[in-house]
Amino acid sequence: MAASKGSKYRFLLGKEFQLRECYQGLRLGRCATDTDMLKVNTEFFACPWSDEGTLAIVPLSAKGAAMPEEPALLRNDRVPILDFAWNPFNNHVLATSDQTGQGALWNIPEGGLKSDLVAPSAQMIGHTARLLHISWNNRVENTLISIDSTKVVKLWDVAGGAGVEKAKLSVAHKGLVTSVTWNNTGSQFATSCQDKKLRIVDPRSDSVVAEVDDHSGSKSGRACWLGKLNLILTTGFTRTTTRELALWDPRKMDKRIHTTKLDNPSTSTPLVLFDEDTSVAFICGKGDSSILPYEVQDGTLTELTTFKSKEPQTALGMLPKSVCDVDSCEIARFFKLTPSGQVIPLNFCVPRRHVGDFFQDDIYPPTWDCKPTMSSAEFWSGANAEPNYVSMDPADK
């Protein structure tokens, strides 16, 4: 569906930054098939390096310069790293999972690595197969989920400086899990899986809340819980390998509430990066040279202006909303990793006549404050809490 004439984001404009704002000379390595190869926060980005079992940790302040020939790296004792994730509440803590089934936490010093980081600050030991996924709870402090290649799902508490296994869930995935996504309170998570099922799981009661068929194609899909909208957006393929998007209401999972086919030809699984403040979902795929923004309105997806680039993307990472420049009506900023080892910042702005003259409150509703809603102990005792939202108006700071 095309964007309505009344949409504030109908003419959303994407633009790549100039070369002096980019990062050059990354020698890229590999991760698990369904892992996003670039993870970014407001201080660093991380991506696999060409040496086995290593990650490059690059300060955002290092823009405009090429990477050193022999940079300081995070080194996992030559064991391949399969997934990694920044702590959403602490820019200096990174979680990794590896080929041996081990999870680990790494503390990144102020300013970045000056020498190789070889010793993790904590380990999560308990899996006996390749650890394909590791992910932080998006609202609860010190809480992670891990999923291995035998479909074992575990929850961890790292509050005490060590990985304590809190739960081994009985959810029965019949294929490899391809993505994990948490709801807006961190009380439930959803998984997409190679068995073509979308599942919603309550980890504290160890129960599957819902299980439905999602996409009929043979290729893997993804799922993204859409924040305070409390909808789930899935991506996948039809039987004829057409890429499609589907919206689901987690309170009524008997059928989709909306489906959109993607016109652009591509064989890559679409990735969803969502801005809950504007309800705009950015759709992209590995190897694609375009980003497709969709506004989620009244249970439907409305297509906005497609961003096209000459450089294809190997991965795309979305920065926290706090980095956006409200004076230029910027609503989203990304880092794009290219096959040539370049990281290119790009952003999306809403064209306005009086840019910078006053705060445009209609496109900047209150945004999440990026703080945890509760401790891991409170979470496991059964507590629930809504996230806190704050104004983006510079006058309120």
Side-chain angles (χ1 to χ4, degrees):
M1 181 186 297
S4 66
K5 292 183 179 180
S7 171
K8 297 187 288 284
Y9 312 108
R10 184 184 181 195
F11 300 110
L12 193 61
L13 180 64
K15 183 179 180 181
E16 292 182 348
F17 286 28
Q18 295 183 4
L19 186 62
R20 64 174 179 267
E21 302 290 328
C22 299
Y23 306 82
Q24 315 283 343
L26 293 156
R27 301 204 308 269
L28 300 181
R30 297 180 180 180
C31 281
T33 303
D34 294 302
T35 294
D36 302 323
M37 289 182 60
L38 180 71
K39 306 291 175 69
V40 60
N41 61 32
T42 59
E43 293 186 59
F44 305 100
F45 70 81
C47 64
W49 194 254
S50 57
D51 295 352
E52 191 168 59
T54 62
L55 294 175
I57 310 295
V58 181
L60 302 197
S61 59
K63 61 187 178 183
M67 287 288 291
E69 189 66 27
E70 297 294 335
L73 300 170
L74 184 158
R75 293 186 177 274
N76 191 43
D77 198 24
R78 302 190 65 82
V79 177
I81 294 172
L82 302 183
D83 196 12
F84 56 101
W86 290 109
N87 185 328
F89 316 117
N90 187 335
N91 284 342
H92 293 264
V93 177
L94 184 74
T96 62
S97 65
D98 70 27
Q99 185 80 20
T100 67
Q102 182 170 292
L105 299 184
W106 306 79
N107 288 335
I108 310 302
E110 290 287 340
L113 301 181
K114 302 297 188 291
S115 59
D116 286 349
L117 181 60
V118 297
S121 59
Q123 294 178 315
M124 288 160 279
I125 300 173
H127 288 275
T128 58
R130 293 179 300 132
L131 196 52
L132 300 179
H133 298 280
I134 194 158
S135 174
W136 296 88
N137 187 303
N138 59 335
R139 299 293 187 248
V140 181
E141 198 170 26
N142 296 312
T143 301
L144 297 103
I145 184 172
S146 59
I147 307 175
D148 69 27
S149 58
T150 62
K151 286 84 74 178
V152 171
V153 181
K154 295 191 176 191
L155 275 292
W156 303 85
D157 180 359
V158 296
V164 176
E165 183 181 320
K166 296 297 292 186
K168 179 180 178 181
L169 303 185
S170 59
V171 53
H173 294 99
K174 297 179 176 62
L176 293 180
V177 173
T178 56
S179 72
V180 181
T181 179
W182 291 89
N183 70 0
N184 198 41
T185 61
S187 60
Q188 296 178 346
F189 65 86
T191 61
S192 52
C193 183
Q194 288 183 353
D195 63 8
K196 306 176 188 178
K197 298 283 188 181
L198 172 66
R199 294 175 176 87
I200 297 176
V201 180
D202 183 332
R204 291 179 291 188
S205 65
D206 190 12
S207 61
V208 176
V209 177
E211 178 178 312
V212 295
D213 296 329
D214 54 7
H215 299 276
S216 58
S218 59
K219 294 189 176 182
S220 60
R222 293 287 189 98
C224 178
W225 213 309
L226 303 184
K228 56 191 172 187
L229 287 182
N230 198 22
L231 299 174
I232 299 173
L233 176 59
T234 60
T235 69
F237 295 81
T238 66
R239 286 192 177 89
T240 58
T241 67
T242 300
R243 300 198 300 177
E244 66 176 1
L245 311 176
L247 274 176
W248 307 82
D249 186 339
R251 295 151 294 195
K252 195 177 187 318
M253 291 285 286
D254 55 329
K255 62 179 180 179
R256 305 174 179 185
I257 61 174
H258 181 79
T259 301
T260 291
K261 301 290 193 296
L262 299 183
D263 294 332
N264 63 324
S266 176
T267 58
S268 64
T269 300
L271 168 69
V272 181
L273 296 166
F274 183 65
D275 175 33
E276 72 166 343
D277 299 341
T278 60
S279 298
V280 174
F282 298 87
I283 312 299
C284 59
K286 184 177 180 179
D288 293 352
S289 56
S290 61
I291 300 172
L292 313 174
Y294 285 84
E295 186 176 5
V296 185
Q297 284 182 310
D298 302 321
T300 63
L301 293 165
T302 56
E303 186 177 359
L304 304 174
T305 305
T306 298
F307 168 76
K308 296 182 179 180
S309 171
K310 294 180 182 179
E311 284 279 353
Q313 58 227 6
T314 297
L316 197 70
M318 189 175 193
L319 280 81
K321 196 62 174 277
S322 60
V323 306
C324 289
D325 178 15
V326 298
D327 287 336
S328 62
C329 295
E330 179 186 18
I331 66 162
R333 188 180 301 182
F334 301 90
F335 273 19
K336 182 175 82 170
L337 178 63
T338 72
S340 62
Q342 185 180 34
V343 171
I344 304 171
L346 62 96
N347 67 6
F348 285 82
C349 297
V350 179
R352 289 285 170 95
R353 287 185 179 180
H354 302 287
V355 172
D357 290 350
F358 56 88
F359 178 68
Q360 311 266 351
D361 57 1
D362 63 319
I363 60 173
Y364 290 111
T367 191
W368 177 48
D369 65 2
C370 295
K371 296 178 181 178
T373 60
M374 69 185 81
S375 67
S376 55
E378 291 170 325
F379 175 76
W380 288 109
S381 69
N384 292 296
E386 295 290 332
N388 185 50
Y389 294 88
V390 296
S391 172
M392 289 195 68
D393 188 343
D396 295 334
K397 296 180 180 178

